Structures are given as C-alpha cells and as structure tokens.
Amino acid sequence: ARLPMSQHIQRLDASVFHFRNHLFVLSNCVAISIVIHVWTFVSVYFLGEALNIHISLANYFIFLPVIFTSGAFVPSIAGLGVLEGLFQHFFSLPGVGATPSGAVALCVLYRIVQLIAALPGVLPTYREFSTHGVKVLSARGADEDSQVELRAASSDAATAR
C-alpha cells in the first residue's frame, strides 16, 4: 500500500539524492539561514531595548525559536494571535523582566518592522501586474478558452481617461 502524500516523500528523496554531492551549496544555505535567524533575534532584542524592555540577549535566543516554531505549526494566518500570546507568555515569565503588555507591544512592533521590510517587494510585483497583466488559468485547464486576463485597476483607469 502507498503512503499518503508519497509523491512529496519521493520528491524529498530525489532532492537529497541530487544534492548529496553539493556540500558547498548546502553548507552555504545552512550558514545563510543561521545568519538570518541570528539577525532576526538581535533585531527583536533592539526593538525590546527601544521599548525599554531590558531582557538579556540570551533569553531572546532561547525564547524566539520556540515562539516562531510554535507560531508556524499552529493553524492560523501568519501565526496571528499565536505569536502575540507566546511573546506575552515567555517574555513575562517571572525573572525575565517584561510586562505582559510590553511583550505584546514587542511582538506588534516586530510585525510592523516585518511589514515595512517587505514593502519594497511589492513594487516589482505591482509594475509587472499593472503593465503586462496576469494570465489566470481556470480549473478546466490551459486551453485558450479558459484563460482570463486580469489587469490592475490603475492601468484600466489610466486607459479609460
């Protein structure tokens, strides 16, 4: 009998087989991942300092992996509500030093910084969408009759003038 979702396991196996001789590429990916995570934890630490939440950097390195992993596993939209509750729980533990409201404020500020950092990525997407349109395929298939072309509202408004 076949396992459920066996095609995903086969794809993972094929990827492992393909990259087994590319240790340099894999080690670079792991190194970049570690750098990005350390950068994120230090950034949240400085956000906490900006909010006058004085917690040791070691606590951030202990709590944030647990918080972010738990937020990723719980079925919610981008961990909404889950991260805030976990920030409040962990950072307001006795002996850590943050108030519950300060911990939630830290999480909200972290989300705002994430949003601001992601905004520049919207520009190329918007330009592509507004100038060329997007082909959307229906569930019937990729034949020409089933294609629908969408255009951004601003390009339609500009052509209507």
Side-chain angles (χ1 to χ4, degrees), residues 88-103:
Q88 181 180 10
H89 173 74
F90 282 107
F91 286 108
S92 63
L93 287 172
V96 175
T99 63
S101 60

PDB file of all heavy atoms in Angstrom, residues 88-103:
ATOM      1  N   GLN A  88       3.817  37.139  24.975  1.00  0.00           N
ATOM      2  CA  GLN A  88       3.336  37.537  26.303  1.00  0.00           C
ATOM      3  C   GLN A  88       3.691  36.479  27.343  1.00  0.00           C
ATOM      4  O   GLN A  88       4.148  36.810  28.430  1.00  0.00           O
ATOM      5  CB  GLN A  88       1.833  37.760  26.271  1.00  0.00           C
ATOM      6  CG  GLN A  88       1.259  38.190  27.590  1.00  0.00           C
ATOM      7  CD  GLN A  88      -0.245  38.398  27.514  1.00  0.00           C
ATOM      8  OE1 GLN A  88      -0.879  38.050  26.529  1.00  0.00           O
ATOM      9  NE2 GLN A  88      -0.802  38.965  28.558  1.00  0.00           N
ATOM     10  N   HIS A  89       3.495  35.215  26.999  1.00  0.00           N
ATOM     11  CA  HIS A  89       3.767  34.147  27.964  1.00  0.00           C
ATOM     12  C   HIS A  89       5.249  34.071  28.323  1.00  0.00           C
ATOM     13  O   HIS A  89       5.609  34.073  29.497  1.00  0.00           O
ATOM     14  CB  HIS A  89       3.295  32.805  27.418  1.00  0.00           C
ATOM     15  CG  HIS A  89       3.684  31.646  28.266  1.00  0.00           C
ATOM     16  ND1 HIS A  89       3.067  31.376  29.477  1.00  0.00           N
ATOM     17  CD2 HIS A  89       4.652  30.713  28.121  1.00  0.00           C
ATOM     18  CE1 HIS A  89       3.634  30.310  30.020  1.00  0.00           C
ATOM     19  NE2 HIS A  89       4.597  29.889  29.208  1.00  0.00           N
ATOM     20  N   PHE A  90       6.107  33.992  27.308  1.00  0.00           N
ATOM     21  CA  PHE A  90       7.523  33.752  27.578  1.00  0.00           C
ATOM     22  C   PHE A  90       8.233  34.981  28.138  1.00  0.00           C
ATOM     23  O   PHE A  90       9.037  34.866  29.058  1.00  0.00           O
ATOM     24  CB  PHE A  90       8.233  33.272  26.309  1.00  0.00           C
ATOM     25  CG  PHE A  90       7.983  31.836  26.000  1.00  0.00           C
ATOM     26  CD1 PHE A  90       7.159  31.479  24.950  1.00  0.00           C
ATOM     27  CD2 PHE A  90       8.549  30.830  26.762  1.00  0.00           C
ATOM     28  CE1 PHE A  90       6.915  30.151  24.654  1.00  0.00           C
ATOM     29  CE2 PHE A  90       8.313  29.497  26.488  1.00  0.00           C
ATOM     30  CZ  PHE A  90       7.481  29.155  25.429  1.00  0.00           C
ATOM     31  N   PHE A  91       7.988  36.152  27.565  1.00  0.00           N
ATOM     32  CA  PHE A  91       8.737  37.323  27.985  1.00  0.00           C
ATOM     33  C   PHE A  91       8.236  37.919  29.294  1.00  0.00           C
ATOM     34  O   PHE A  91       8.907  38.769  29.876  1.00  0.00           O
ATOM     35  CB  PHE A  91       8.767  38.380  26.878  1.00  0.00           C
ATOM     36  CG  PHE A  91       9.680  38.003  25.752  1.00  0.00           C
ATOM     37  CD1 PHE A  91       9.173  37.616  24.526  1.00  0.00           C
ATOM     38  CD2 PHE A  91      11.054  38.016  25.918  1.00  0.00           C
ATOM     39  CE1 PHE A  91      10.011  37.257  23.488  1.00  0.00           C
ATOM     40  CE2 PHE A  91      11.900  37.659  24.897  1.00  0.00           C
ATOM     41  CZ  PHE A  91      11.383  37.272  23.674  1.00  0.00           C
ATOM     42  N   SER A  92       7.061  37.493  29.761  1.00  0.00           N
ATOM     43  CA  SER A  92       6.590  37.994  31.061  1.00  0.00           C
ATOM     44  C   SER A  92       6.688  36.927  32.144  1.00  0.00           C
ATOM     45  O   SER A  92       6.067  37.061  33.199  1.00  0.00           O
ATOM     46  CB  SER A  92       5.151  38.503  30.931  1.00  0.00           C
ATOM     47  OG  SER A  92       4.281  37.454  30.567  1.00  0.00           O
ATOM     48  N   LEU A  93       7.468  35.879  31.894  1.00  0.00           N
ATOM     49  CA  LEU A  93       7.699  34.882  32.934  1.00  0.00           C
ATOM     50  C   LEU A  93       8.420  35.531  34.114  1.00  0.00           C
ATOM     51  O   LEU A  93       9.176  36.491  33.947  1.00  0.00           O
ATOM     52  CB  LEU A  93       8.562  33.739  32.392  1.00  0.00           C
ATOM     53  CG  LEU A  93       7.901  32.767  31.427  1.00  0.00           C
ATOM     54  CD1 LEU A  93       8.938  31.819  30.827  1.00  0.00           C
ATOM     55  CD2 LEU A  93       6.817  31.980  32.136  1.00  0.00           C
ATOM     56  N   PRO A  94       8.197  35.026  35.321  1.00  0.00           N
ATOM     57  CA  PRO A  94       8.905  35.588  36.482  1.00  0.00           C
ATOM     58  C   PRO A  94      10.415  35.492  36.295  1.00  0.00           C
ATOM     59  O   PRO A  94      10.938  34.464  35.893  1.00  0.00           O
ATOM     60  CB  PRO A  94       8.440  34.705  37.650  1.00  0.00           C
ATOM     61  CG  PRO A  94       7.167  34.083  37.188  1.00  0.00           C
ATOM     62  CD  PRO A  94       7.268  33.967  35.703  1.00  0.00           C
ATOM     63  N   GLY A  95      11.078  36.585  36.530  1.00  0.00           N
ATOM     64  CA  GLY A  95      12.521  36.630  36.411  1.00  0.00           C
ATOM     65  C   GLY A  95      13.022  37.046  35.039  1.00  0.00           C
ATOM     66  O   GLY A  95      14.214  37.274  34.865  1.00  0.00           O
ATOM     67  N   VAL A  96      12.132  37.141  34.056  1.00  0.00           N
ATOM     68  CA  VAL A  96      12.566  37.547  32.718  1.00  0.00           C
ATOM     69  C   VAL A  96      12.594  39.061  32.627  1.00  0.00           C
ATOM     70  O   VAL A  96      13.566  39.643  32.158  1.00  0.00           O
ATOM     71  CB  VAL A  96      11.679  36.922  31.618  1.00  0.00           C
ATOM     72  CG1 VAL A  96      12.070  37.437  30.249  1.00  0.00           C
ATOM     73  CG2 VAL A  96      11.784  35.417  31.667  1.00  0.00           C
ATOM     74  N   GLY A  97      11.508  39.711  33.016  1.00  0.00           N
ATOM     75  CA  GLY A  97      11.581  41.161  33.135  1.00  0.00           C
ATOM     76  C   GLY A  97      10.619  41.992  32.331  1.00  0.00           C
ATOM     77  O   GLY A  97      10.587  43.198  32.485  1.00  0.00           O
ATOM     78  N   ALA A  98       9.805  41.426  31.459  1.00  0.00           N
ATOM     79  CA  ALA A  98       8.881  42.242  30.676  1.00  0.00           C
ATOM     80  C   ALA A  98       7.482  42.145  31.269  1.00  0.00           C
ATOM     81  O   ALA A  98       7.110  41.136  31.865  1.00  0.00           O
ATOM     82  CB  ALA A  98       8.847  41.772  29.232  1.00  0.00           C
ATOM     83  N   THR A  99       6.726  43.199  31.094  1.00  0.00           N
ATOM     84  CA  THR A  99       5.324  43.154  31.477  1.00  0.00           C
ATOM     85  C   THR A  99       4.555  42.460  30.346  1.00  0.00           C
ATOM     86  O   THR A  99       5.021  42.440  29.202  1.00  0.00           O
ATOM     87  CB  THR A  99       4.757  44.567  31.685  1.00  0.00           C
ATOM     88  OG1 THR A  99       4.829  45.271  30.441  1.00  0.00           O
ATOM     89  CG2 THR A  99       5.532  45.319  32.756  1.00  0.00           C
ATOM     90  N   PRO A 100       3.391  41.894  30.630  1.00  0.00           N
ATOM     91  CA  PRO A 100       2.623  41.258  29.553  1.00  0.00           C
ATOM     92  C   PRO A 100       2.294  42.221  28.415  1.00  0.00           C
ATOM     93  O   PRO A 100       2.398  41.865  27.239  1.00  0.00           O
ATOM     94  CB  PRO A 100       1.354  40.771  30.259  1.00  0.00           C
ATOM     95  CG  PRO A 100       1.771  40.556  31.670  1.00  0.00           C
ATOM     96  CD  PRO A 100       2.794  41.635  31.940  1.00  0.00           C
ATOM     97  N   SER A 101       1.925  43.451  28.743  1.00  0.00           N
ATOM     98  CA  SER A 101       1.603  44.415  27.687  1.00  0.00           C
ATOM     99  C   SER A 101       2.855  44.818  26.914  1.00  0.00           C
ATOM    100  O   SER A 101       2.797  45.036  25.696  1.00  0.00           O
ATOM    101  CB  SER A 101       0.913  45.646  28.269  1.00  0.00           C
ATOM    102  OG  SER A 101       1.756  46.283  29.198  1.00  0.00           O
ATOM    103  N   GLY A 102       3.980  44.913  27.588  1.00  0.00           N
ATOM    104  CA  GLY A 102       5.230  45.226  26.902  1.00  0.00           C
ATOM    105  C   GLY A 102       5.641  44.118  25.949  1.00  0.00           C
ATOM    106  O   GLY A 102       6.148  44.380  24.855  1.00  0.00           O
ATOM    107  N   ALA A 103       5.409  42.862  26.346  1.00  0.00           N
ATOM    108  CA  ALA A 103       5.752  41.734  25.479  1.00  0.00           C
ATOM    109  C   ALA A 103       4.873  41.716  24.230  1.00  0.00           C
ATOM    110  O   ALA A 103       5.360  41.465  23.124  1.00  0.00           O
ATOM    111  CB  ALA A 103       5.610  40.426  26.251  1.00  0.00           C
TER     112      ALA A 103
END
